[in-house]
């Protein structure tokens, strides 16, 4: 199978603190390669992670149907618009964030230094993913199970479910990998609750120093 690779060029920038017009970046099956010397914007990384899932089925046609599409990253004070390009991208020494996905059934992996747990959980929720998110911290490992973006279960040390999620959100360093497909035993499990309510409660606890 041909390795997944999509190159983009920025066509419009408004008040973005990180990137400039005509800069190019590369999305592969294993990483997001950003322009040399530029910071890794977590909001852009989140957008590109979502694009990875949606573009994978079109790689065989060289993204023919998406060539005229303008993609947007506007989750902060700035705005960036970008499109697929055939121009060469030379970011071999630039910043990158691992995604490790060669196809729809592959493992997605990376480091929490590049994307915070709250952002990471939102990525899988927003794109309605089903599978297990495994996180490795210095203090131990954690597991979060999703079904179509909903939270089915979570475990971290001696904590379960919501309390495990709250503890995971505090972590700033470590690694993660996502394995598609839930365990059969959890297929009929009810969701833990409203995803955004759980996330907001966890962030509130962080703000209050709990």
């Amino acid at each position: 199978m041909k390795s997944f690779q999509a190159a983009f060029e920025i066509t419009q920038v408004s008040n973005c603190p990180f990137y400039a017009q005509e800069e190019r970046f590369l999305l592969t099956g294993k990483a997001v390669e950003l322009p040399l010397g530029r910071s890794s914007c977590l909001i852009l990384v989140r957008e590109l992670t979502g694009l990875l899932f949606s573009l994978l089925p079109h790689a065989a046609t060289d993204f023919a149907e998406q060539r005229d599409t303008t993609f947007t990253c506007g989750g902060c004070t700035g705005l960036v618009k970008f499109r697929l390009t055939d121009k060469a991208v030379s970011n071999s020494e630039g910043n990158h964030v691992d995604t490790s996905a060669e196809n729809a059934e592959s493992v997605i992996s990376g480091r929490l230094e590049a994307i915070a747990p709250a952002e990471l959980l939102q990525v899988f929720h927003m794109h309605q993913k089903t599978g297990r998110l495994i996180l490795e911290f210095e203090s131990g490992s954690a597991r979060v199970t999703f079904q179509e973006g909903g939270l089915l279960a979570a475990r971290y040390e001696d904590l379960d479910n919501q309390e495990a999620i709250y503890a995971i959100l505090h972590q700033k360093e470590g690694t993660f990998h996502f394995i598609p497909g839930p365990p059969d035993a959890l297929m009929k499990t009810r969701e833990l609750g409203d995803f955004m309510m759980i996330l907001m409660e966890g962030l509130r606890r962080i703000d209050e120093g709990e």
Side-chain angles (χ1 to χ4, degrees), residues 24-42:
R24 296 186 290 274
F25 48 88
L26 191 67
L27 175 64
T28 74
K30 294 184 178 180
V32 175
E33 298 184 9
L34 301 171
L36 179 64
R38 295 298 192 181
S39 300
S40 300
C41 172
L42 298 184

Side-chain angles (χ1 to χ4, degrees), residues 2-174:
K2 182 180 178 181
S3 296
F4 175 87
Q5 181 171 295
F8 298 90
E9 182 174 34
I10 296 175
T11 58
Q12 181 180 338
V13 176
S14 177
N15 298 321
C16 176
F18 299 114
Y19 309 112
Q21 191 166 331
E22 297 186 357
E23 286 187 327
R24 296 186 290 274
F25 48 88
L26 191 67
L27 175 64
T28 74
K30 294 184 178 180
V32 175
E33 298 184 9
L34 301 171
L36 179 64
R38 295 298 192 181
S39 300
S40 300
C41 172
L42 298 184
I43 297 175
L44 178 61
V45 170
R46 181 181 65 188
E47 295 294 333
L48 292 174
T49 302
L51 279 179
L52 175 62
F53 290 118
S54 62
L55 289 177
L56 275 170
H58 304 280
T61 64
D62 197 26
F63 318 113
E65 296 182 2
Q66 290 76 31
R67 287 289 172 178
D68 295 329
T69 301
T70 297
F71 304 100
T72 301
C73 176
C76 63
T77 58
L79 174 70
V80 171
K81 293 187 177 182
F82 52 96
R83 298 179 67 173
L84 286 158
T85 182
D86 292 322
K87 295 179 181 179
V89 178
S90 180
N91 294 336
S92 59
E93 299 299 325
N95 296 328
H96 72 276
V97 179
D98 287 342
T99 55
S100 295
E102 291 289 335
N103 54 61
E105 297 302 318
S106 296
V107 173
I108 302 169
S109 64
R111 299 195 62 84
L112 295 180
E113 290 87 339
I115 181 168
E119 294 278 352
L120 185 63
L121 295 179
Q122 288 184 77
V123 166
F124 297 113
H125 170 68
M126 289 171 54
H127 297 284
Q128 300 182 335
K129 293 302 164 185
T130 296
R132 292 163 291 161
L133 176 63
I134 312 298
L135 305 106
E136 299 291 342
F137 312 122
E138 184 176 349
S139 58
S141 61
R143 176 175 298 185
V144 181
T145 303
F146 291 87
Q147 184 170 21
E148 296 182 352
L151 294 170
L152 290 187
R155 177 75 178 177
Y156 177 36
E157 296 185 319
D158 59 346
L159 301 174
D160 289 314
N161 300 331
Q162 287 97 328
E163 293 300 324
I165 296 292
Y166 303 151
I168 290 169
L169 293 176
H170 279 78
Q171 303 302 313
K172 298 181 179 179
E173 297 181 355

